[in-house]
Amino acid sequence: MTENLLLRLRLRSGLTQEELSDSSGISVRTIRNFERGAIRRPRRSSVEMLLDVLDPELKERLHTAAVDDLATPVGMATDWLKVLGPEPGVWRGGRPPRSSLLGRDAEIAELGRRLRDQQVVVVTGMGGAGKSRVALAAAEEAGRRLDEGVAVVGLGRVPREHETGPGEALRLAGEAVARVLGTRLAEGGPHRLVVVLDDTEHLPLTTARLVDRLLARLPRAHVLVTARRPPGLIGASLYEVAPLDGDTGVELLRSRAADACPELDLSGCGERLAALVGLLDGLPRLIEFAARRLRTVSLDLLLTDDRAPRLLGCDDPAAPEHQRSAGAGLRWSLDLLDASHERLLRRLARGPVAGGDVLAGLTDAADVGLLADLADACLLQVDRGERPERGGHYGYRPLRHVRALLADDPPAVTAP
């Protein structure tokens, strides 16, 4: 929804935000977020309720206008078409949170393009970077054009392969897929849909086999996989979700803090908010945890001795345990590797923050292999740019929140 159009309609009507809220049934906060562009994909029903008050004729024209060769109503603004376009396609499985998604439009568009061009796409990135949110938004866009829409299968609660064995893990994951697809789709056929396999880093063999089975039964399906460490899927397109930049991270922190504690005044705190976002590596989940924590702990206290990562979490029973706190998320990632990986990560975390060339301290190919595994598991930040002063080597840096969590050594970071 465009900022200028909604604002212009409200001002033309002579209504305050509060009066528009009373007349439409839409909350003042939602109207405010619409007007400042914080809600990129608003619900169709919410927009229609606003148009019922602001411009009923526009609402009717958008539904009845003549369309061009691309099925676009002639003369209608593109941003309004996104809002009042076709209803989302069929959706099976878990839906993303209702909160707004900030700073991800370009990534959603690129991932959607890849999903149209490729049959299998893997979305990877650090724990808490927003892989699932971005993947589900891209799947929703793609699913609008497919007969069977989107099917989302969360695999985070399936036990790790080394706990149950690959055969049992595949059976449990297959049952999860069948429950979401339903009997008709599970039997296979030329159905057109997007299947999202979410939270799969602990099931690399299972995921690869599951994708092969899905495409054998549903040859016209597209599969979108999310994982902190991508499975070995030959021919898949790999897309890495980056952390938020500093400005967007601060915007997210302010927005979520206002939701959690509307009376909290963060004006004049820009530099300290930016410092907190930097400490949390721009990871949306940790930023949202921090916003909730600001209800009870001051910003200055969170920044003292880099203690924020140790204090962040939530008690959401719908989330897998490894997604409920920063410490549990780190332990989950480490447990997917072995003790030698953790020893190397701890060694690197004790080094200087700005760091020199970490390769200089690695003695053999085995150590370099461990370093690559840590980077592949998104436990190290990788600078892939060519840097002449480093001889063209990649740069590797432990994440700041990982440094903070590891600084105390066990038992500060324990299994959930």
Side-chain angles (χ1 to χ4, degrees):
M1 195 172 206
T2 59
E3 175 184 357
N4 290 340
L5 184 52
L6 177 61
L7 187 58
R8 186 166 65 250
L9 290 173
R10 180 173 65 79
L11 294 177
R12 186 185 69 184
S13 300
L15 298 174
T16 65
Q17 291 178 339
E18 290 75 13
E19 290 169 338
L20 178 56
S21 174
D22 291 340
S23 300
S24 65
I26 302 298
S27 71
V28 173
R29 180 178 299 167
T30 298
I31 293 170
R32 185 180 302 120
N33 285 336
F34 277 162
E35 293 187 357
R36 65 186 179 91
I39 300 178
R40 300 294 184 185
R41 287 170 176 78
R43 298 176 187 169
R44 179 191 181 104
S45 59
S46 297
V47 175
E48 292 189 343
M49 291 167 69
L50 290 169
L51 286 180
D52 280 335
V53 177
L54 295 174
D55 197 334
E57 291 184 3
L58 175 58
K59 173 185 170 182
E60 183 63 21
R61 291 202 309 274
L62 285 167
H63 281 293
T64 61
V67 298
D68 60 21
D69 292 339
L70 297 177
T72 300
V74 176
M76 297 298 173
T78 301
D79 287 325
W80 280 95
L81 298 178
K82 291 179 181 177
V83 172
L84 294 176
E87 291 283 5
V90 178
W91 189 283
R92 301 173 178 85
R95 281 195 172 270
R98 295 179 179 179
S99 54
S100 56
L101 188 57
L102 300 181
R104 296 301 196 186
D105 286 354
E107 290 175 296
I108 292 168
E110 170 61 18
L111 186 55
R113 183 192 65 78
R114 294 199 191 191
L115 194 56
R116 290 191 297 272
D117 295 343
Q118 303 283 334
Q119 196 163 23
V120 181
V121 181
V122 177
V123 180
T124 188
M126 304 171 195
K131 298 179 293 296
S132 296
R133 292 293 306 274
V134 172
L136 293 182
E140 182 175 9
E141 293 294 327
R144 294 175 187 270
R145 297 182 294 275
L146 302 177
D147 300 334
E148 298 292 348
V150 179
V152 181
V153 185
L155 297 177
R157 297 183 186 276
V158 175
R160 300 180 180 95
E161 289 171 345
H162 72 264
E163 295 174 350
T164 64
E168 179 65 6
L170 181 59
R171 184 187 69 80
L172 294 172
E175 289 179 352
V177 171
R179 283 194 298 270
V180 173
L181 291 182
T183 303
R184 181 174 62 87
L185 292 183
E187 289 176 350
H191 305 292
R192 300 171 65 244
L193 74 158
V194 177
V195 180
V196 181
L197 302 178
D198 191 27
D199 205 6
T200 67
E201 58 271 358
H202 59 305
L203 302 168
L205 295 176
T206 297
T207 302
R209 294 171 181 171
L210 198 58
V211 170
D212 286 342
R213 287 188 180 184
L214 276 168
L215 295 182
R217 293 180 181 177
L218 297 164
R220 300 189 67 187
H222 292 256
V223 181
L224 189 57
V225 177
T226 74
R228 298 186 187 188
R229 189 177 188 185
L233 288 166
I234 297 174
S237 176
L238 189 63
Y239 186 83
E240 184 173 345
V241 173
L244 296 176
D245 63 57
D247 290 342
T248 306
V250 170
E251 182 184 359
L252 177 65
L253 182 56
R254 288 185 183 276
S255 174
R256 297 297 189 263
D259 290 339
C261 188
E263 65 272 19
L264 181 64
D265 183 8
L266 294 176
S267 59
C269 298
E271 290 187 4
R272 286 178 293 161
L273 292 175
L276 181 56
V277 168
L279 174 59
L280 302 178
D281 298 293
L283 298 175
R285 183 185 298 136
L286 300 191
I287 292 171
E288 292 183 340
F289 286 166
R292 284 194 287 269
R293 183 60 73 181
L294 284 172
R295 294 182 65 250
T296 54
V297 177
S298 72
L299 179 57
D300 287 340
L301 197 57
L302 283 180
L303 289 169
T304 301
D305 299 325
D306 286 353
R307 73 181 60 181
R310 308 180 187 100
L311 300 176
L312 302 185
C314 71
D315 297 320
D316 181 3
E321 288 189 7
H322 63 275
Q323 296 179 5
R324 298 183 193 177
S325 73
L330 175 58
R331 175 49 53 189
W332 169 264
S333 291
L334 288 174
D335 285 349
L336 298 177
L337 302 170
D338 59 35
S340 57
H341 292 96
E342 183 168 348
R343 284 195 295 271
L344 177 58
L345 182 63
R346 289 182 179 279
R347 194 173 102 206
L348 297 175
R350 289 194 294 270
V353 173
D357 189 344
V358 301
L359 291 174
L362 302 180
T363 57
D364 55 33
D367 283 342
V368 176
L370 294 177
L371 183 73
D373 288 342
L374 288 170
D376 206 30
C378 296
L379 287 168
L380 292 175
Q381 196 155 16
V382 183
D383 174 12
R384 299 182 180 89
E386 292 298 325
R387 299 171 65 180
E389 73 276 13
R390 298 169 62 91
H393 290 156
Y394 284 8
Y396 301 87
R397 178 175 62 82
L399 303 169
R400 286 191 63 188
H401 80 278
V402 171
R403 285 180 179 271
L405 289 168
L406 292 177
D408 294 332
D409 284 334
V413 179
T414 57

